[in-house]
PDB file of all heavy atoms in Angstrom:
ATOM      1  N   GLU R 325    -166.711 -10.975 118.559  1.00  0.00           N
ATOM      2  CA  GLU R 325    -166.057 -11.107 119.825  1.00  0.00           C
ATOM      3  C   GLU R 325    -166.699 -12.095 120.731  1.00  0.00           C
ATOM      4  O   GLU R 325    -167.015 -11.814 121.884  1.00  0.00           O
ATOM      5  CB  GLU R 325    -166.158  -9.631 120.481  1.00  0.00           C
ATOM      6  CG  GLU R 325    -165.478  -8.634 119.562  1.00  0.00           C
ATOM      7  CD  GLU R 325    -165.353  -7.231 120.215  1.00  0.00           C
ATOM      8  OE1 GLU R 325    -165.790  -7.035 121.335  1.00  0.00           O
ATOM      9  OE2 GLU R 325    -164.900  -6.317 119.546  1.00  0.00           O
ATOM     10  N   THR R 333    -170.295 -29.634 116.396  1.00  0.00           N
ATOM     11  CA  THR R 333    -171.150 -29.829 115.214  1.00  0.00           C
ATOM     12  C   THR R 333    -170.532 -29.191 113.912  1.00  0.00           C
ATOM     13  O   THR R 333    -170.697 -29.751 112.867  1.00  0.00           O
ATOM     14  CB  THR R 333    -172.503 -29.166 115.428  1.00  0.00           C
ATOM     15  OG1 THR R 333    -172.483 -28.117 116.308  1.00  0.00           O
ATOM     16  CG2 THR R 333    -173.550 -30.167 115.769  1.00  0.00           C
ATOM     17  N   SER R 367    -180.388 -38.052  93.751  1.00  0.00           N
ATOM     18  CA  SER R 367    -181.121 -36.829  94.128  1.00  0.00           C
ATOM     19  C   SER R 367    -181.088 -36.691  95.631  1.00  0.00           C
ATOM     20  O   SER R 367    -180.801 -35.645  96.181  1.00  0.00           O
ATOM     21  CB  SER R 367    -182.513 -36.882  93.550  1.00  0.00           C
ATOM     22  OG  SER R 367    -183.338 -36.025  94.296  1.00  0.00           O
ATOM     23  N   HIS R 429    -181.479 -28.312  83.652  1.00  0.00           N
ATOM     24  CA  HIS R 429    -180.179 -28.797  83.438  1.00  0.00           C
ATOM     25  C   HIS R 429    -179.592 -28.221  82.228  1.00  0.00           C
ATOM     26  O   HIS R 429    -180.221 -27.987  81.217  1.00  0.00           O
ATOM     27  CB  HIS R 429    -180.332 -30.321  83.226  1.00  0.00           C
ATOM     28  CG  HIS R 429    -179.033 -30.996  83.035  1.00  0.00           C
ATOM     29  ND1 HIS R 429    -178.115 -31.278  84.051  1.00  0.00           N
ATOM     30  CD2 HIS R 429    -178.445 -31.484  81.891  1.00  0.00           C
ATOM     31  CE1 HIS R 429    -177.092 -31.866  83.545  1.00  0.00           C
ATOM     32  NE2 HIS R 429    -177.227 -32.068  82.292  1.00  0.00           N
ATOM     33  N   GLY R 495    -185.337 -20.769  79.976  1.00  0.00           N
ATOM     34  CA  GLY R 495    -184.879 -21.823  79.064  1.00  0.00           C
ATOM     35  C   GLY R 495    -183.720 -21.460  78.252  1.00  0.00           C
ATOM     36  O   GLY R 495    -183.355 -21.970  77.168  1.00  0.00           O
ATOM     37  N   ASP R 501    -173.051 -18.899  71.926  1.00  0.00           N
ATOM     38  CA  ASP R 501    -172.410 -17.693  71.391  1.00  0.00           C
ATOM     39  C   ASP R 501    -173.360 -16.861  70.603  1.00  0.00           C
ATOM     40  O   ASP R 501    -173.008 -15.705  70.255  1.00  0.00           O
ATOM     41  CB  ASP R 501    -171.160 -18.018  70.663  1.00  0.00           C
ATOM     42  CG  ASP R 501    -171.467 -18.786  69.431  1.00  0.00           C
ATOM     43  OD1 ASP R 501    -171.904 -19.899  69.474  1.00  0.00           O
ATOM     44  OD2 ASP R 501    -171.363 -18.191  68.256  1.00  0.00           O
TER      45      ASP R 501
ATOM     46  N   LYS O  31    -171.653  -3.882 117.699  1.00  0.00           N
ATOM     47  CA  LYS O  31    -170.819  -3.334 118.697  1.00  0.00           C
ATOM     48  C   LYS O  31    -171.314  -1.967 119.251  1.00  0.00           C
ATOM     49  O   LYS O  31    -171.220  -1.681 120.400  1.00  0.00           O
ATOM     50  CB  LYS O  31    -169.384  -3.126 118.153  1.00  0.00           C
ATOM     51  CG  LYS O  31    -168.411  -2.605 119.172  1.00  0.00           C
ATOM     52  CD  LYS O  31    -167.392  -3.520 119.415  1.00  0.00           C
ATOM     53  CE  LYS O  31    -166.415  -3.011 120.474  1.00  0.00           C
ATOM     54  NZ  LYS O  31    -165.328  -3.984 120.770  1.00  0.00           N
ATOM     55  N   TYR O  38    -174.357  -8.825 126.174  1.00  0.00           N
ATOM     56  CA  TYR O  38    -173.141  -9.407 125.528  1.00  0.00           C
ATOM     57  C   TYR O  38    -172.687 -10.577 126.421  1.00  0.00           C
ATOM     58  O   TYR O  38    -172.532 -10.431 127.624  1.00  0.00           O
ATOM     59  CB  TYR O  38    -172.105  -8.393 125.530  1.00  0.00           C
ATOM     60  CG  TYR O  38    -170.699  -8.849 125.116  1.00  0.00           C
ATOM     61  CD1 TYR O  38    -170.605  -9.570 123.953  1.00  0.00           C
ATOM     62  CD2 TYR O  38    -169.520  -8.563 125.759  1.00  0.00           C
ATOM     63  CE1 TYR O  38    -169.331 -10.136 123.429  1.00  0.00           C
ATOM     64  CE2 TYR O  38    -168.299  -9.001 125.278  1.00  0.00           C
ATOM     65  CZ  TYR O  38    -168.201  -9.822 124.219  1.00  0.00           C
ATOM     66  OH  TYR O  38    -166.969 -10.277 123.826  1.00  0.00           O
ATOM     67  N   TRP O  53    -180.053 -29.144 113.935  1.00  0.00           N
ATOM     68  CA  TRP O  53    -179.922 -30.348 113.101  1.00  0.00           C
ATOM     69  C   TRP O  53    -181.324 -30.802 112.549  1.00  0.00           C
ATOM     70  O   TRP O  53    -181.403 -31.309 111.458  1.00  0.00           O
ATOM     71  CB  TRP O  53    -179.275 -31.526 113.791  1.00  0.00           C
ATOM     72  CG  TRP O  53    -177.729 -31.364 113.881  1.00  0.00           C
ATOM     73  CD1 TRP O  53    -177.027 -30.718 114.829  1.00  0.00           C
ATOM     74  CD2 TRP O  53    -176.806 -31.806 112.887  1.00  0.00           C
ATOM     75  NE1 TRP O  53    -175.677 -30.730 114.547  1.00  0.00           N
ATOM     76  CE2 TRP O  53    -175.449 -31.456 113.383  1.00  0.00           C
ATOM     77  CE3 TRP O  53    -176.899 -32.561 111.712  1.00  0.00           C
ATOM     78  CZ2 TRP O  53    -174.396 -31.721 112.663  1.00  0.00           C
ATOM     79  CZ3 TRP O  53    -175.763 -32.817 111.084  1.00  0.00           C
ATOM     80  CH2 TRP O  53    -174.532 -32.414 111.486  1.00  0.00           C
ATOM     81  N   SER O  67    -189.049 -35.706  95.731  1.00  0.00           N
ATOM     82  CA  SER O  67    -188.155 -36.073  94.602  1.00  0.00           C
ATOM     83  C   SER O  67    -188.284 -37.418  94.089  1.00  0.00           C
ATOM     84  O   SER O  67    -188.426 -37.717  92.956  1.00  0.00           O
ATOM     85  CB  SER O  67    -186.752 -35.721  95.102  1.00  0.00           C
ATOM     86  OG  SER O  67    -185.744 -36.130  94.010  1.00  0.00           O
ATOM     87  N   MET O 152    -185.484 -32.271  79.301  1.00  0.00           N
ATOM     88  CA  MET O 152    -184.237 -32.634  78.636  1.00  0.00           C
ATOM     89  C   MET O 152    -183.954 -34.108  78.650  1.00  0.00           C
ATOM     90  O   MET O 152    -184.079 -34.641  79.755  1.00  0.00           O
ATOM     91  CB  MET O 152    -183.098 -31.860  79.277  1.00  0.00           C
ATOM     92  CG  MET O 152    -182.967 -30.460  78.857  1.00  0.00           C
ATOM     93  SD  MET O 152    -181.696 -29.795  79.867  1.00  0.00           S
ATOM     94  CE  MET O 152    -182.442 -28.167  80.037  1.00  0.00           C
ATOM     95  N   TYR O 176    -184.548 -27.158  70.950  1.00  0.00           N
ATOM     96  CA  TYR O 176    -183.089 -26.959  70.664  1.00  0.00           C
ATOM     97  C   TYR O 176    -182.249 -28.081  71.436  1.00  0.00           C
ATOM     98  O   TYR O 176    -182.739 -28.742  72.316  1.00  0.00           O
ATOM     99  CB  TYR O 176    -182.690 -25.593  71.005  1.00  0.00           C
ATOM    100  CG  TYR O 176    -183.076 -25.003  72.335  1.00  0.00           C
ATOM    101  CD1 TYR O 176    -182.454 -25.284  73.525  1.00  0.00           C
ATOM    102  CD2 TYR O 176    -184.271 -24.224  72.428  1.00  0.00           C
ATOM    103  CE1 TYR O 176    -182.851 -24.751  74.719  1.00  0.00           C
ATOM    104  CE2 TYR O 176    -184.685 -23.752  73.639  1.00  0.00           C
ATOM    105  CZ  TYR O 176    -183.991 -24.018  74.690  1.00  0.00           C
ATOM    106  OH  TYR O 176    -184.408 -23.522  75.959  1.00  0.00           O
ATOM    107  N   SER O 186    -174.889 -23.292  68.674  1.00  0.00           N
ATOM    108  CA  SER O 186    -175.824 -22.188  68.919  1.00  0.00           C
ATOM    109  C   SER O 186    -176.910 -22.099  67.896  1.00  0.00           C
ATOM    110  O   SER O 186    -177.936 -21.468  68.091  1.00  0.00           O
ATOM    111  CB  SER O 186    -175.081 -20.841  69.009  1.00  0.00           C
ATOM    112  OG  SER O 186    -174.111 -20.854  70.020  1.00  0.00           O
TER     113      SER O 186
END
Side-chain angles (χ1 to χ4, degrees):
Chain R
E325 301 185 2
T333 22
S367 159
H429 178 77
D501 63 292
Chain O
K31 179 119 182 174
Y38 174 50
W53 280 92
S67 173
M152 280 176 216
Y176 44 85
S186 300

